[in-house]
Amino acid sequence: MGDVLAGFHTVWEFDTDSVLIRFERGIRTPRLLQVLGERRIPYEALAAVEQAPGKHGTVVLRAVPRPGADPLADAADGQLKEGCDPYRLVLPAERELLAEYYAERIRAELGPRATEPAERHLVAAPTPPLSFKAYDGKASFDGRTISFRWFWTGASSAKWKAGDQRFTVDELTDVDWRSPDALGGHLRLVRRTADGRRPGAADQDPAAVVFGMGYGLVHESLPFAAAVLAAVRAKAPALAGDHLHGAHSVPAARPDPGGIAERIRHLGELHDAGLLTDEEFSAKKAQLLAEL
């Protein structure tokens, strides 16, 4: 197409097979959109285009991604506020006819399988931060391994007993992100388990970090979750072959001595408070010392 449609904080640039969505960098632009910068959306990744009246004399165009086509949309799972929706373009009401024109142009480009879930991700995952701070720990991702390092000020005794955690991508089947803008915000890694047990509360689950006021912010935790989800989905086709050839997960790196000393000190506090028995404290301390 080659045309450009500029709205508030967002610009859509149309190409023959995709639309490039660019987000302005300014104080009025939501932080998530600033972090995303721009995203190229193939038309085959879209299910529909919606047009509706907006607030304060505006008209809104919204591209609807197919389920499974975009790791960011899949991770967000409808939890984003309107202003943070990267598929939303707000225009002055006097441009309603122009919005309708472009909506029809995009609809004409949708493929015959637009109403079906995508078999693979068609939109690139955003580049995530290397790490972000949750309330009870620090989450890190290097493209292959996700690490949770617990904070003694926020982590539950259950997490301290379990110790810092490392998960390789091929151990996971999904990522569960719950927005920090609502109660119960968290990031949980869904592991491959055979017992079918439901996970417990996020603050007790070593495979989850919990959010809170100022922790796990949307512009940090959602791109992180989307990048992990994209890696998990990309790995999934190879897992069957790996299983047949007896492949093993990547071994975890040894923790740093300072972190181990900090964890032993906190275990001592839990023991003094009666939250750990003598046997539990001794066993966990021995386990940590053996990692040095």
Side-chain angles (χ1 to χ4, degrees):
M1 295 181 184
D3 296 342
V4 175
L5 188 58
F8 298 108
H9 314 309
T10 305
V11 176
W12 287 10
E13 297 183 6
F14 299 95
D15 207 339
T16 55
D17 60 353
S18 61
V19 56
L20 177 65
I21 302 179
R22 294 191 291 106
F23 307 105
E24 294 179 358
R25 296 186 180 274
I27 59 174
R28 295 183 179 274
T29 304
R31 289 292 302 278
L32 174 63
L33 302 186
Q34 292 186 50
V35 167
L36 293 177
E38 65 180 37
R39 308 194 76 213
R40 183 167 294 278
I41 314 297
Y43 297 127
E44 65 173 327
L46 298 178
V49 178
E50 302 171 342
Q51 179 180 342
K55 300 176 181 177
H56 311 298
T58 61
V59 61
V60 177
L61 274 183
R62 183 177 185 275
V64 181
R66 295 168 61 189
D70 180 3
L72 185 80
D74 287 351
D77 195 23
Q79 299 174 76
L80 290 177
K81 296 179 179 179
E82 281 189 348
C84 293
D85 186 346
Y87 284 90
R88 195 167 177 266
L89 179 66
V90 182
L91 302 160
E94 57 267 25
R95 305 186 74 183
E96 180 177 2
L97 291 179
L98 189 62
E100 183 176 347
Y101 167 78
Y102 280 105
E104 289 300 325
R105 292 282 297 271
I106 294 175
R107 291 185 186 113
E109 299 291 335
L110 300 183
R113 304 184 64 183
T115 58
E116 303 175 11
E119 297 178 353
R120 59 183 177 85
H121 285 147
L122 302 169
V123 181
T127 302
L130 295 178
S131 62
F132 74 90
K133 288 184 178 180
Y135 173 73
D136 58 355
K138 180 180 179 180
S140 304
F141 180 47
D142 63 7
R144 297 179 61 192
T145 304
I146 304 93
S147 303
F148 292 158
R149 181 176 179 181
W150 308 123
F151 296 152
W152 70 269
T153 52
S156 64
S157 59
K159 291 185 177 181
W160 275 100
K161 288 181 182 179
D164 293 345
Q165 300 291 301
R166 288 171 64 86
F167 306 89
T168 56
V169 167
D170 55 8
E171 294 178 59
L172 309 177
T173 61
D174 206 349
V175 177
D176 177 26
W177 180 81
R178 290 293 175 264
S179 174
D181 293 336
L183 292 176
H186 65 262
L187 171 68
R188 190 196 303 271
L189 305 178
V190 182
R191 293 171 289 182
R192 298 180 183 278
T193 56
D195 53 22
R197 291 182 299 177
R198 295 178 61 85
D203 65 340
Q204 303 296 314
D205 185 356
V209 290
V210 299
F211 304 151
M213 186 66 68
Y215 294 95
L217 301 174
V218 171
H219 69 275
E220 297 176 341
S221 61
L222 180 57
F224 186 100
V228 174
L229 180 61
V232 170
R233 297 280 172 85
K235 187 72 174 178
L239 286 177
D242 288 347
H243 177 71
L244 290 175
H245 291 83
H248 299 284
S249 59
V250 178
R254 294 174 62 184
D256 65 279
I260 290 179
E262 180 182 337
R263 288 165 58 186
I264 290 176
R265 283 194 297 271
H266 186 67
L267 287 171
E269 295 174 2
L270 295 176
H271 177 252
D272 293 341
L275 297 175
L276 290 177
T277 66
D278 292 342
E279 292 78 10
E280 289 174 329
F281 173 69
S282 298
K284 189 60 182 177
K285 180 179 178 180
Q287 178 185 342
L288 291 173
L289 291 173
E291 295 178 5
L292 290 174

